[in-house]
Amino acid sequence: MTLDPYYSDDLVTIYHGDSCEIGQALAVGADLLVTDPPYGNSMEYGPDVDDTPENLERLIREAIIPPLESLGRGAVTSGVANIHRYPPPKWVLCWYEPAGAGSGPWGFCTWQPVLVYGKDPYLQDGLGRRPDGRAFSGHLNHSPVPGHPCAKPEDVMRWIVERVSRPGEVILDPFMGSGTTLRAAKDLGRKAIGIELDERYCEIAVKRLGQQVLAL
């Protein structure tokens, strides 16, 4: 299969296409998967995205499980209501907002799960234990990226990427959206491969990747 990148620099490569069709081929060049897929709750992502529970099941089956199985390590921000839709994770990390005010069936929404698969690289490398959750302020109730309805905050995704990957590894994100995972990887000196079906979000991601890398 020959794939032409939509964008490429020293650390990041973007492909405009369907992750169900090209994701497994691109996984060959990656070390792990980190992704924030649609939640299947009828979010208005755009005309090319069918954000229904039925389509989410298909995306999990065709675009997430195959690379997870071949790579052996990954992290998925599933949303609380969708945890049961995914293969049983090795563990569940979380990011949380102590003062969250979103409404849920059991009260205010203050946390979001991160399903993790495979072994903790920090523990595997003999570097000790780290917390499996982290608090962030003011993040649960809005999208921080203009033009995208529910992008993850950059500091949240930087924590996830740093938590589950090693420096120099290649991250695959089959649902890159506006490029937050790719931006986080670039900030941390990781390489990343992103796939996105909607070209509008590819354009946003390219602009974000052109910004100056944050100092660590």
Side-chain angles (χ1 to χ4, degrees):
M1 177 183 294
T2 301
L3 300 172
D4 296 322
Y6 183 89
Y7 166 89
S8 184
D9 62 30
D10 291 343
L11 292 175
V12 174
T13 304
I14 291 174
Y15 292 89
H16 172 221
D18 188 337
S19 57
C20 293
E21 298 175 359
I22 66 176
Q24 187 62 8
L26 294 175
V28 173
D31 296 296
L32 71 155
L33 179 144
V34 178
T35 194
D36 176 37
Y39 284 3
N41 59 1
S42 301
M43 181 72 69
E44 292 295 330
Y45 289 104
D48 295 328
V49 179
D50 176 16
D51 188 36
T52 61
E54 295 75 19
N55 193 52
L56 175 59
E57 296 281 1
R58 181 183 72 89
L59 297 178
I60 293 171
R61 183 176 64 252
E62 298 181 12
I64 294 180
I65 292 178
L68 264 180
E69 289 181 342
S70 62
L71 296 173
R73 180 162 35 105
V76 180
T77 55
S78 65
V80 177
N82 291 325
I83 293 176
H84 68 285
R85 298 183 185 276
Y86 287 84
K90 182 69 174 181
W91 197 248
V92 180
L93 310 180
C94 82
W95 61 279
Y96 56 98
E97 165 52 74
S103 179
W106 276 64
F108 294 124
C109 299
T110 62
W111 75 290
Q112 286 293 318
V114 183
L115 311 184
V116 287
Y117 300 85
K119 295 182 179 180
D120 181 334
Y122 210 73
L123 275 175
Q124 196 172 18
D125 294 344
L127 300 175
R129 296 182 179 274
R130 293 181 291 178
D132 60 5
R134 182 166 169 181
F136 294 89
S137 179
H139 286 337
L140 284 178
N141 301 312
H142 72 285
S143 173
V145 179
H148 192 282
C150 62
K152 288 290 181 292
E154 286 187 14
D155 54 352
V156 170
M157 195 54 72
R158 277 197 299 274
W159 172 72
I160 295 172
V161 168
E162 192 274 336
R163 187 66 179 77
V164 302
S165 68
R166 298 178 176 90
E169 288 191 320
V170 180
I171 294 164
L172 174 68
D173 184 353
F175 300 98
M176 71 170 212
S178 61
T180 306
T181 301
L182 310 187
R183 179 73 251 185
K186 191 169 186 176
D187 288 349
L188 292 166
R190 274 72 163 166
K191 296 182 179 181
I193 300 167
I195 306 170
E196 175 52 44
L197 186 62
D198 194 320
E199 188 172 6
R200 296 174 305 160
Y201 299 147
C202 291
E203 294 173 356
I204 293 173
V206 170
K207 292 179 181 177
R208 295 178 71 187
L209 291 167
Q211 298 170 356
Q212 184 178 357
V213 176
L214 298 177
L216 299 180

